[in-house]
Structures are given as structure tokens and as C-alpha cells.
Amino acid sequence: MSLRVVLGVAAGGAVGAVLRFLLDRYLRAGILLANVLGCLVLGYLFGELTWLAENGGAPGGAVLTALLSETGSTVLAIGTLGALSTFATVSVRVAQTWMAGRQLRAAGIWVAHVGLGFAAAAAGIALSRISGLY
Amino acid sequence: MSSSASTAAHRRPRPKRPATSLTVLVLLVALAGAGGALLRLVVGELIPEQGMKFPWTTLAINLSGSGLLGLLIGAARARPSTPDWVVPTFGTGLLASYTTFSAVILAVMPSMPGAAYDGLRVVTYVSPGAMEMLTYLFISVLGSTAAAAAGLTISRALFGQLGAESADLGVSSEGPHGS
């Protein structure tokens, strides 16, 4: 684990956390949006990396090359997207809702996160297939 | 605002703290968020998921993070005197960043081949069946929620319950003295 990765993940984590904090502060479904965004971009990243691993070849621009490098993808996936998306916040809110006697609503929160998360990840993978950025 | 003279000698009036500014909160969340992501990176290094059939490390992170956040939120709920920067820093910043959702969803995506990229130290797994992955997802969701509920309950027992049970309940608690 290189120092560059450590510093990058720290910086990426800070960005992801602040973005989620602001989304949660100003939007009603801020945490849901943060999780969906995280799944979308991570799906895109995985799709790109899979394509590269299978086909070789260098990605297009300098920015994309940097983002898809080993360090770049780790910083993005573990740092930014890892911190942007969250499991604990959803768990606590569902637990609170459940304990307040609203079991159906509690279940609905998880269904929304998982369902939309899946859809966003699939959309991200599809985007990577059609983006043609190579 | 100054409260009227309290007749109850055992109740000290609390000094009112000035609200923490948004700039300071953002800086605290950034610092703690960096810490949370680093913590997850380190745990992933210590217990690498490469070659695991399921992303157990991610599950352990989400279980522990959810339980701890339950403890924190429960404690903050029970004690209104908690400074307004504590939950954003240690909850939104540290613990919520430590846990992750996107990696879990990508891990259980049926269309994702395992180990997409050797250098990518995110969830990699050995091409499991869809049913197995759905079971893993179920364990993650139910386990983390149970851990959060346990944390909330333990905090409530430790710190006593003052005020409403949940943010979702807009019910005002009955004061000790009638109107």
C-alpha cells in the first residue's frame, strides 16, 4: 500500500463524506441519492476496468487514464465512492423507524436503497459499455 | 435566552452553546470522512477479500459501523446536551464513511465477473451463484439493522431516555409539569 494510495483514499474519503453530508442536509432523500450515485459511478468504474482487463488497450484521455489506473481506481472506489455511500446511516434510520412501530416503512427504506442501488449499478455498467471512451 | 428562576435546586440551567457554523461542520466531516475511509482501507488490507467466496470484510465493517452508529445516535438522542458537532463528526463523518453501500451492491451484481482488475482492492469474489449473493445481501441488511437497533437500545438503557423515541415520531414528550 503506497503512500499515494493512502493520501488519495484520505482525500477521496473527505470529498465523499462532505458530499453526502451536504446531500443529507439539503435534500429529503439525500442519503438515498448518495448511495445511488455511489452505485452508479462504481458500476461505471467496474465496467471500464473489466473492459480494459479483457481487451487491454489504453483508455482515452489523460484524466480517464489516471482515474482507471491502479491508484486512481482505488482512490475513487474505496475513498470517494466508499465514503459517499453508507450502510450505517441507513441501518440506524431503518432501526429507528422500525422501533417507532412503522415496520412497513422501515422495510421500504431498505427496498428503495437496494432496488435503486442495483438499478444504478447496472446503469453504470451499461454506460461503460456504450461510452466508447477508448 | 435566560430562563426564569428555577425552583428546582437540583436542576442546573444548561448554558446554551452557540451553533457550530456550516464551514466548521464541513471541515470536521471532511477530516472524519478521511479517517473513516482510511480505516476501511486498513481493515481491507488486514483481512483481504481477494479469493474469498463472499466479501466478509465488508460485512464485518458494515456490522460494526452500524452498531457503533446506533450507540452514538442513541446516546445523542438521550442527552440533549450533546454538542451539535458530535453526530456530524463521528456519525456522518467517521462511521458513515467507514461503512459502505456501493461495494456491497457491486459485489452482488450477477453480471460482474470476479476480480475485474488485479489492482483494484475493492470487493472481488469467486463467481458465486445468484442465490448465494442474495443471501449475503440479506445477511448484510438484516444484520446491520439489528446491530443498529441493538446500539440504539443499549444507549437508551445506559443514558436514559429523555424525549421522543425516534426522529420519525413527531410526538412531543410529555413534560413533567402540566401547562
Side-chain angles (χ1 to χ4, degrees), chain A residues 20 78 85-86 96 99 110, chain B residues 77 92 97 102 121 145:
Chain A
R20 177 168 38 76
I78 295 186
S85 69
T86 180
Q96 285 178 322
M99 287 153 91
W110 267 128
Chain B
R77 274 278 142 67
T92 310
S97 300
S102 50
R121 284 188 295 263
T145 307

Side-chain angles (χ1 to χ4, degrees), chain A residues 100-125:
Chain A
R102 301 166 78 177
Q103 284 87 347
L104 204 63
R105 187 191 165 90
I109 295 173
W110 267 128
V111 169
H113 278 261
V114 171
L116 292 174
F118 263 120
I125 293 168

Side-chain angles (χ1 to χ4, degrees), chain A residues 6-134:
Chain A
V6 171
L7 292 176
V9 166
V15 170
V18 167
L19 190 54
R20 177 168 38 76
F21 171 70
L22 294 174
L23 284 171
D24 186 35
R25 194 178 171 96
Y26 295 110
L27 293 177
R28 271 196 60 184
I31 295 294
L32 180 62
L33 188 60
N35 275 349
V36 166
L37 261 176
C39 290
L40 178 76
V41 182
L42 192 63
Y44 178 82
L45 184 69
F46 266 42
E48 291 283 359
L49 291 174
T50 307
W51 193 94
L52 285 177
E54 286 168 359
N55 303 291
V63 174
L64 197 66
T65 308
L67 283 180
L68 294 178
S69 69
E70 189 180 323
T71 304
S73 56
T74 304
V75 165
L76 201 57
I78 295 186
T80 310
L81 304 173
L84 173 65
S85 69
T86 180
F87 220 90
T89 308
V90 187
S91 295
V92 169
R93 285 186 188 175
V94 169
Q96 285 178 322
T97 309
W98 185 280
M99 287 153 91
R102 301 166 78 177
Q103 284 87 347
L104 204 63
R105 187 191 165 90
I109 295 173
W110 267 128
V111 169
H113 278 261
V114 171
L116 292 174
F118 263 120
I125 293 168
L127 268 177
S128 76
R129 289 279 180 268
I130 61 173
S131 61
L133 286 167
Y134 310 106

Side-chain angles (χ1 to χ4, degrees), chain B residues 27-157:
Chain B
L27 284 173
L28 287 171
V29 168
L31 272 175
L38 276 181
L39 207 55
R40 186 156 31 77
L41 178 72
V42 168
V43 172
E45 288 290 319
L46 294 176
I47 319 168
E49 281 174 342
Q50 254 85 6
M52 280 187 189
K53 192 167 170 71
F54 296 100
W56 296 122
T57 312
T58 305
L59 178 62
I61 285 170
N62 285 339
L63 286 174
S64 55
S66 298
L68 288 168
L69 187 67
L71 281 174
L72 175 72
I73 300 282
R77 274 278 142 67
R79 309 192 73 146
S81 59
T82 309
D84 64 350
W85 51 266
V86 168
V87 168
T89 304
F90 297 103
T92 310
L94 187 70
L95 290 172
S97 300
Y98 169 61
T99 61
T100 186
F101 182 77
S102 50
V104 175
I105 294 296
L106 261 294
V108 298
M109 284 290 285
S111 61
M112 284 314 303
Y117 192 66
D118 283 343
L120 190 67
R121 284 188 295 263
V122 198
V123 172
T124 56
Y125 56 95
V126 188
S127 203
M131 271 320 290
E132 285 179 313
M133 282 333 280
L134 280 178
T135 308
Y136 169 85
L137 180 67
F138 221 67
I139 293 170
S140 290
V141 165
L142 292 182
S144 296
T145 307
L152 288 166
T153 308
I154 290 167
S155 266
R156 193 177 297 163

